[in-house]
Amino acid sequence: MNEQQQPVLTDIRGRVGVITLNRPQQLNALNDALMDALGEALLRFDSDAAIGAIVITGSAKAFAAGADIAAMADWTYMDVYQGDFITRNWEAIRRVRKPVIAAVAGFAMGGGCELALACDRIIAAESAKFALPEIKLAMLPGAGGTQRLPRAIGKAKAMDMCLSARMLDAREADRYGLVSRVVPDDQLLDDTLALASRIAGYSLPALMVIKEAVNRAWESSLSEGILYERRELHARFASEDAHEGMHAFLSKRQPKFKHR
Ligand code: CO8
């Protein structure tokens, strides 16, 4: 398969694994081949000890314009139930333990917006546009959108987006807390890579524990979450890197993490 036919492209920059969605003619509409390849690339980078953080990006026009409507149009209930649509391959990203950053330019719609929401952080270019327009198809945001969006931006704004298909521009998305930073389009990849490289330079097990603990805040009561956090804090004292980090601070030198 030549590069043009590969649904995702991968590249390694230092300790950062970069995955580029690559169906530009279809605005990166997400079909089975693409989601299989994305899941495979994510899990490969996740198991590579030389990688500390992962970036997912698209093209200048679209991060991804949603699930591939042409592929889905004639599916039946049995097709999607027996094929375990979404759960089977879209959710590989939930198994990734390293930080995943979405670098979004242009359209992030439907499943594309949901994919960005499943990442740990979203960096948006000025051109980024976010929408869950499934209602226009008499569908619903079924790749986590109805669950992750209200947790990310609250019920009022989530209902607005899900019920009316309203599109947010990058500035609105920033104001609502959907994205963590807005940057000029021509700096999107460089700025995201700089951020990902900085993150990837920290102690990998500490990053993984923090990601797990923050995600737990979404899925447990406060007291359960605090208990989990406290146990993880105690466990940090078993980490070589934590001792190195604290001693390096006291010696006024840069830490040398072994990712242990
Ligand atoms: N699926 C398939 N093809 C697509 C998709 C898509 N989601 N989006 C764009 N394309 C294709 C177009 O058909 C077009 O192909 P062609 O050149 O062969 O005609 C090409 O990409 C370029 O698109 P446009 O000409 O439409 O480009 P515009 O700049 O005029 O418009 C838009 C860009 C606004 C993004 C427009 O393409 C659009 O509205 N796309 C559909 C967006 C959408 O509805 N997304 C949600 C899909 S449903 C979904 O994601 C649910 C996911 C999880 C749950 C599953 C249950 C449904």
Side-chain angles (χ1 to χ4, degrees), residues 15 44-54 95-101 120 204 207-208 211:
R15 283 183 52 78
R44 182 158 40 86
F45 283 148
D46 203 37
S47 62
D48 182 342
I51 299 289
I54 301 168
R95 310 211 312 265
V96 176
R97 299 169 74 199
K98 295 173 182 171
V100 182
I101 304 171
D120 302 309
L204 182 56
L207 289 169
M208 286 159 59
K211 169 170 172 164

Side-chain angles (χ1 to χ4, degrees), residues 25-27 29 61 65-69 107 109-111 114 134 139 142:
Q25 309 302 325
Q26 295 83 20
L27 304 185
K61 183 165 181 194
D68 189 326
I69 299 168
F107 297 106
M109 296 178 68
E114 293 172 296
E134 285 87 342
M139 274 290 182

Side-chain angles (χ1 to χ4, degrees), residues 115-151:
L115 173 61
L117 277 168
C119 296
D120 302 309
R121 293 184 64 175
I122 303 175
I123 309 297
E126 301 272 3
S127 67
K129 293 176 259 308
F130 298 87
L132 292 176
E134 285 87 342
I135 186 62
K136 291 187 182 175
L137 307 172
M139 274 290 182
L140 88 160
T146 65
Q147 303 305 300
R148 289 200 179 96
L149 191 65
R151 284 167 167 81

Side-chain angles (χ1 to χ4, degrees), residues 75-212:
W75 284 351
T76 65
Y77 171 79
M78 270 306 147
D79 291 333
V80 292
Y81 179 71
Q82 292 188 333
D84 210 10
F85 179 45
I86 304 293
T87 315
R88 184 179 68 77
N89 49 4
W90 290 52
E91 296 197 322
I93 195 165
R94 293 182 61 191
R95 310 211 312 265
V96 176
R97 299 169 74 199
K98 295 173 182 171
V100 182
I101 304 171
V104 176
F107 297 106
M109 296 178 68
C113 182
E114 293 172 296
L115 173 61
L117 277 168
C119 296
D120 302 309
R121 293 184 64 175
I122 303 175
I123 309 297
E126 301 272 3
S127 67
K129 293 176 259 308
F130 298 87
L132 292 176
E134 285 87 342
I135 186 62
K136 291 187 182 175
L137 307 172
M139 274 290 182
L140 88 160
T146 65
Q147 303 305 300
R148 289 200 179 96
L149 191 65
R151 284 167 167 81
I153 66 174
K155 178 180 167 183
K157 302 295 186 196
M159 282 292 190
D160 188 18
M161 286 181 72
C162 292
L163 296 181
S164 65
R166 192 161 83 76
M167 191 180 275
L168 302 186
D169 63 25
R171 294 285 162 200
E172 266 183 306
D174 190 25
R175 257 196 334 273
Y176 294 172
L178 183 61
V179 309
S180 50
R181 197 176 295 179
V182 180
V183 300
D185 278 65
D186 59 2
Q187 283 171 224
L188 177 66
L189 205 54
D190 285 349
D191 284 10
T192 308
L193 281 171
L195 170 73
S197 297
R198 184 151 56 81
I199 291 174
Y202 295 129
S203 167
L204 182 56
L207 289 169
M208 286 159 59
V209 162
I210 291 172
K211 169 170 172 164
E212 201 171 9

Side-chain angles (χ1 to χ4, degrees), residues 233-245:
L233 171 71
H234 295 164
R236 287 285 77 219
F237 287 85
S239 150
E240 285 180 36
D241 283 349
H243 290 291
E244 165 64 8

